[in-house]
Amino acid sequence: MNNPAVLEQLISALRCLPGVGPKSSTRMAYHLLQRDREGAQKLAASLQQALDKLAHCDYCNNFSEHSACSLCQDSQRDKSILCVVEMPTDLMMLENTRSYQGQYFVLMGKLSPMDGIGPKDIHLDTLLKRAQDPAIHEVIVATNFTSEGEATAHYIGQMLKSRGIQVSRIARGLPMGGEIEYVDSGTLSTALLERKAVT
Amino acid sequence: MNNPAVLEQLISALRCLPGVGPKSSTRMAYHLLQRDREGAQKLAASLQQALDKLAHCDYCNNFSEHSACSLCQDSQRDKSILCVVEMPTDLMMLENTRSYQGQYFVLMGKLSPMDGIGPKDIHLDTLLKRAQDPAIHEVIVATNFTSEGEATAHYIGQMLKSRGIQVSRIARGLPMGGEIEYVDSGTLSTALLERKAVT
Ligand SMILES: [Zn+2]
Ligand SMILES: [Zn+2]
């Protein structure tokens, strides 16, 4: 091996990125050092800043620079309804429909026993506390219609209903196996409007 | 858009990586922040360190922490022969064959008019100076047998021969369109031994 140690360290560090193996981490390192040092500098700084400044909103669990994110601090929004999504991207997709004005809770994942991801890993204890806020009158579960998303919805439904909390699931307006991130606004909007109470 | 600014900055900064579009940069950012903050911290530090410490060897143009890399400083190696390769990976592949004991010059690319990469971008002026060192008796051109690698070899061959420097090309032991990085040691070793003088 004739690469300098700091180059080997960079190649190995790039492998923390999902989907990046030894060949592509090597190609990435050469590209950055050879053709885009400015981009590399920006990336190093952005990573450090994100690590230093980003935590989770105490209310919705989304990434936030403050203990309450701007959405949770928005007094214009409906405080009586809470929509549960898997990822921040899903929240943004729902916001883009402009058909929902309530609160959110971002699980930052989904139940996935195969990957060792259980109820604690998706912050269901925090969700339960949040859902028990007397201001909340309904929880809409908007996890994906994949098998893991459905299992997560079922688990959350049972957990909340057993505490007497009203829970609904967005309508299956999405195609089977569909993911919220990839669906058009109209379909998503219908799915929200046609939500059904969990029985 | 409801992402905090520092998160948006990170997502956008990740797009400096080759082959990373908006969807995968978003997935990468979430993964790092949610599941691998330690890896992200290491990546930020490694990037910064590589940018601060890595430059190019004055002799072979490979990445190096010093003005002369360890290979160029090795007094055991043959000073009379210079092998020109496209990328550091190619140099390492050649070293792995253990059948070459001379010097190297790493172009850090290849001629590619379509991408606006000309002779200056692959440091041919530096190569010319290096090849004119009286200690050098032969230059072996070991660029890939792709159309761009062949064009680069031709250009270098003409440039050096017109100055009376002896130039050879590694033998076409590699398959057509083959790249040095992906070939086995034996084939590469034969290609080196059977090199032919450029006529
Ligand atoms: Zn929030
Ligand atoms: Zn060197």
Side-chain angles (χ1 to χ4, degrees), chain A residues 61-77:
Chain A
N61 195 44
N62 199 356
F63 292 117
S64 173
E65 296 179 48
H66 311 284
S67 58
C69 76
S70 54
L71 197 152
C72 290
Q73 280 186 307
D74 184 347
S75 61
Q76 300 290 92
R77 297 190 71 107

Side-chain angles (χ1 to χ4, degrees), chain B residues 20-33:
Chain B
V20 174
K23 289 269 178 202
S24 58
S25 64
T26 304
R27 206 175 53 236
M28 283 175 169
Y30 292 162
H31 171 85
L32 290 177
L33 291 167

Side-chain angles (χ1 to χ4, degrees), chain B residues 96-132:
Chain B
N96 290 344
T97 69
R98 294 165 188 270
S99 56
Y100 180 72
Q101 283 298 316
Q103 310 296 308
Y104 286 100
F105 188 87
V106 185
L107 300 169
M108 295 287 176
K110 54 193 177 258
L111 289 178
S112 180
M114 302 278 283
D115 304 317
I117 298 173
K120 271 217 160 165
D121 302 301
I122 59 168
H123 313 278
L124 293 192
D125 43 354
T126 318
L127 168 61
L128 182 57
K129 257 182 244 153
R130 181 77 184 91
Q132 283 173 326

Side-chain angles (χ1 to χ4, degrees), chain B residues 46-67:
Chain B
S46 307
L47 274 168
Q48 195 57 63
Q49 203 176 35
L51 288 167
D52 292 345
K53 292 197 179 167
L54 279 185
H56 292 277
C57 172
D58 289 345
Y59 300 90
C60 69
N61 196 42
N62 199 357
F63 292 117
S64 173
E65 296 179 50
H66 310 285
S67 59

Side-chain angles (χ1 to χ4, degrees), chain A residues 30 37 41 48-49 51 89, chain B residues 30 37 41 48 51 89:
Chain A
Y30 291 161
R37 293 179 79 92
Q41 185 58 71
Q48 195 58 61
Q49 200 176 38
L51 288 166
T89 326
Chain B
Y30 292 162
R37 293 178 79 91
Q41 186 58 71
Q48 195 57 63
L51 288 167
T89 327

